[in-house]
Amino acid sequence: MRIAIRGSLVCAGLCCASLSAPAQEPAVNATVPAAVIPGQPLNVRLQGGNLAGAKGIWTSFAAQTALAADVPENGTKADQVTFSITAASDVPVGIHGLRVWTDKGVSPLRFLLVDDLPTVAQAGNNTTPETAQVLSLPTAVDGAVGNLSVQYFKFPAAEGQTLSFEVLSRRIGSSLDPMIRILDARGRELAFSDDAAGLSGDSQISHKFAAAGDYLLELRDIRFQGGAYRLRIGDFPCATVAYPLAIQRGQTAPITLAGFAIDGVAPVNVTAPADPLISWIPVSLKRTGGVSSGFSTLAVVDRPQFVEVEPNNAPEQANRVELTQDVNGRFEQAGDIDRFVFKAPKDASYVFTGVTRTQGSPSDLNIKVLKADGGQLGAVDDTGTDEGSVTIKFPDEADYTLVVEDLAKRGGPQHAYRIAIEPAVAKFELAVSTDTFNVPAGGSIFATVTAKRINYGGPIELSVAGLPEGVTASKSVIGAGRNDAVITLTAGPAYQPGSMQLVQVIGTGTEPNQRATADFAAALKPKLANMRFPPATLTSTLTTSAAAAPGFTWKAEPAEVVFGKQLATKTKLIAARG
């Protein structure tokens, strides 16, 4: 095992000292409002710490940004700063990202929504039906529910009108576990939602009102605790996941939404980026004639995507597919079974992996691969938060059948899925322990990179793509048989504060095209109230910026040591005080 020794790597005391500078990095705890509207300029106040002297902001969507000129003393306060943000008119509605940087570094990732609904702030006294906040629809409300508290909103509805309601809280990292109820003027419950299927614990309702009049919406934490939220009310489709769930890289395909109230949503053609480093894109759609959007994310993959054709329940109705394709389908009704037949070569091994809940579908999959006589070659059902993966080695060149069903026999238009099909090759997945590198000038900062190995036990060479001039990464390797290593970024004296760069941690194996980009979703979860699935569109691109100089530098002699079984070494650490 080879380790390159850089500052802040070895000694606990030196680690604490070298990491003191990033403690001054800016942090954003809230944005007011929580969303911007595509194509419209809006002042957004960032609240947090160490924000004085903010130089700029980054958004994960195309936008024009500038320090707001019409805010007195803007940019001088540590706890807040206001930026003017104009999102491009074609930015999809959904959950996006924001960061701010100063001379002391760049802030950790913060969510900023893009929404085509106008925003109002929650009134502070709407805790009883009598003091309900009156809303003009369509609209979105930014607010927070206190412990042991309930909030009420009054809104009008026409006879026969259908409205959609949803709360974003768990999906944006809030501690609020929301519950909503629709009440008539006499307080009778018309509709209720606690954990809407596929929305990570958030609430969602579509309701058709039988009579014209004023109605109430009740919002609270199901545990009577509390947290922040965004409440949306409009004519948007109640989407859970894009359908199909993936698109081939560089190709154009029709995409729609899967959900329990998606009538009137026409597919739109989406073109996937050709960039091999982009694996996810946001998508949003409206009903025909609608004014507000439902949203989801779409995986970008290298394989063609097959979309099922019903009926395919019976063996003789199975859709013919190729092993070079992924399979996308929906369980249209309870008990639906989907079958796909394909030809496989003798002794070939393929992996069949289910994809549902990580993208928003509520389905738990049961996957089987059968021989022509109905004998089972392999099967798998849901495992934890995953839908399971099964590897099949085919004994003969012949036709085989893939059978997919919901484990609990559930169905409905929201129960979409994808089966990723690929050769059983040696590969790995990577996770990095941070989303931000604030590197002190003349100093170093580090992160741990962890590997999940899949039939591969060899070395994984780590690198950092997109590093700015003046910053270098250590020559780090996850050694054969190991599952983690430390990667260190070191900045020379010329690396100056006041800028931010996007970077990715890349792992490369010894076999052709054996490459993976590190994801930091696991590092985000504890910072975001243990949210189930941080947005995949945001969790593979890190940032780096210059932090304040640490006040000392140090080096090791020798700079590189090699450890083997039952071997030891001595290294001298030399510190130079500033």
Side-chain angles (χ1 to χ4, degrees):
M1 179 175 65
R2 179 178 288 107
I3 297 180
I5 301 180
R6 303 291 180 96
S8 76
L9 244 181
V10 180
C11 172
L14 290 177
C15 283
C16 295
S18 66
L19 291 177
S20 62
Q24 303 173 32
E25 69 184 16
V28 179
N29 301 325
T31 64
V32 182
V36 297
I37 298 177
Q40 297 186 18
L42 187 67
N43 277 3
V44 178
R45 186 171 74 250
L46 314 183
Q47 299 175 337
N50 298 317
L51 296 173
K55 301 294 184 182
I57 58 170
W58 166 85
T59 59
S60 62
F61 53 87
Q64 295 180 348
T65 64
L67 201 65
D70 54 349
V71 178
E73 300 181 331
N74 193 24
T76 65
K77 300 177 181 179
D79 63 344
Q80 62 179 269
V81 64
T82 301
F83 279 88
S84 172
I85 303 176
T86 306
S89 58
D90 59 350
V91 173
V93 167
I95 302 170
H96 297 264
L98 173 145
R99 299 176 187 266
V100 61
W101 70 87
T102 71
D103 283 343
K104 296 178 180 178
V106 62
S107 65
L109 180 68
R110 176 74 195 183
F111 297 142
L112 177 66
L113 303 176
V114 174
D115 202 344
D116 46 19
L117 289 169
T119 300
V120 297
Q122 172 240 334
N125 63 341
N126 63 331
T127 55
T128 67
E130 294 74 24
T131 60
Q133 181 175 352
V134 178
L135 302 177
S136 177
L137 303 187
T139 193
V141 182
D142 289 340
V145 176
N147 290 346
L148 304 177
S149 184
V150 181
Q151 294 183 1
Y152 293 91
F153 302 91
K154 180 185 288 188
F155 61 91
E159 180 181 352
Q161 183 179 13
T162 297
L163 289 173
S164 299
F165 307 80
E166 74 172 343
V167 179
L168 286 92
S169 55
R170 301 298 296 139
R171 286 175 288 168
I172 56 176
S174 170
S175 60
L176 179 70
D177 187 354
M179 183 277 289
I180 54 176
R181 296 198 300 156
I182 307 298
L183 311 174
D184 67 12
R186 297 174 60 184
R188 294 176 297 187
E189 180 181 296
L190 303 178
F192 165 90
S193 176
D194 176 13
D195 293 339
L199 298 186
S200 297
D202 281 348
S203 301
Q204 194 178 68
I205 291 174
S206 176
H207 184 74
K208 184 175 182 179
F209 292 86
D214 287 336
Y215 295 85
L216 292 176
L217 182 141
E218 177 187 296
L219 168 63
R220 66 174 174 87
D221 189 309
I222 193 68
R223 308 157 301 172
F224 281 103
Q225 297 180 15
Y229 65 83
R230 182 173 177 86
L231 168 67
R232 305 179 76 228
I233 307 176
D235 62 359
F236 53 87
C238 292
T240 55
V241 66
Y243 186 73
L245 281 72
I247 186 171
Q248 186 179 7
R249 193 177 310 280
Q251 301 297 307
T252 300
I255 302 297
T256 186
L257 296 174
F260 63 84
I262 55 171
D263 52 294
V265 178
V268 298
N269 285 330
V270 174
T271 300
D275 187 341
L277 295 180
I278 296 177
S279 299
W280 298 88
I281 55 175
V283 292
S284 61
L285 289 87
K286 300 176 182 177
R287 290 188 171 95
T288 301
V291 299
S292 55
S293 301
F295 61 91
S296 186
T297 56
L298 185 65
V300 179
V301 300
D302 295 323
R303 297 172 298 280
Q305 300 298 298
F306 178 86
V307 180
E308 72 157 332
V309 179
E310 291 281 4
N312 61 345
N313 286 44
E316 63 274 12
Q317 297 172 323
N319 294 166
R320 171 68 66 172
V321 299
E322 303 293 332
L323 281 176
T324 56
Q325 300 172 311
D326 289 348
V327 170
N328 293 264
R330 277 198 277 199
F331 305 124
E332 298 289 352
Q333 61 277 327
D336 191 7
I337 300 175
D338 293 336
R339 298 176 188 268
F340 308 89
V341 63
F342 57 89
K343 178 171 284 188
K346 179 179 174 61
D347 293 331
S349 293
Y350 278 80
V351 182
F352 298 78
T353 302
V355 181
T356 57
R357 286 173 289 177
T358 53
Q359 275 187 251
S361 170
S363 288
D364 297 333
L365 297 184
N366 184 14
I367 305 168
K368 302 175 186 176
V369 177
L370 308 179
K371 295 183 291 186
D373 61 4
Q376 183 172 291
L377 278 179
V380 69
D381 55 32
D382 67 317
T383 54
T385 57
D386 296 325
E387 268 52 58
S389 179
V390 60
T391 301
I392 303 295
K393 184 176 181 179
F394 298 101
D396 300 293
E397 181 174 340
D399 277 350
Y400 298 88
T401 300
L402 170 67
V403 181
V404 188
E405 58 185 331
D406 184 82
L407 191 62
K409 309 296 183 182
R410 298 169 300 170
Q414 72 270 35
H415 284 273
Y417 64 86
R418 176 167 69 100
I419 307 297
I421 304 173
E422 55 187 346
V425 297
K427 64 178 184 177
F428 51 85
E429 298 170 359
L430 298 178
V432 61
S433 62
T434 184
D435 71 314
T436 307
F437 288 113
N438 285 313
V439 193
S444 301
I445 195 167
F446 67 92
T448 300
V449 182
T450 305
K452 176 184 177 182
R453 296 178 178 273
I454 304 168
N455 301 320
Y456 177 70
I460 303 170
E461 183 175 345
L462 302 177
S463 62
V464 181
L467 281 177
E469 186 176 354
V471 179
T472 58
S474 60
K475 296 180 179 179
S476 298
V477 176
I478 301 177
R482 290 185 58 84
N483 293 323
D484 58 64
V486 170
I487 191 164
T488 308
L489 268 60
T490 301
Y495 186 47
Q496 294 300 311
S499 64
M500 185 210 76
Q501 294 79 28
L502 301 177
V503 299
Q504 290 184 314
V505 176
I506 307 294
T508 306
T510 57
E511 301 181 14
N513 301 317
Q514 199 173 51
R515 176 185 173 99
T517 301
D519 185 283
F520 54 82
L524 282 183
K525 289 181 181 180
K527 302 176 183 178
L528 299 171
N530 292 316
M531 69 186 306
R532 296 178 191 174
F533 303 110
T537 50
L538 301 174
T539 57
S540 63
T541 300
L542 299 81
T543 55
T544 183
S545 186
F552 70 93
T553 60
W554 68 279
K555 63 180 180 179
E557 293 181 352
E560 185 175 280
V561 296
V562 178
F563 290 95
K565 188 176 182 180
Q566 296 181 338
L567 294 181
T569 188
K570 290 185 178 180
T571 300
K572 181 186 293 184
L573 305 180
I574 304 169
R577 301 180 184 276

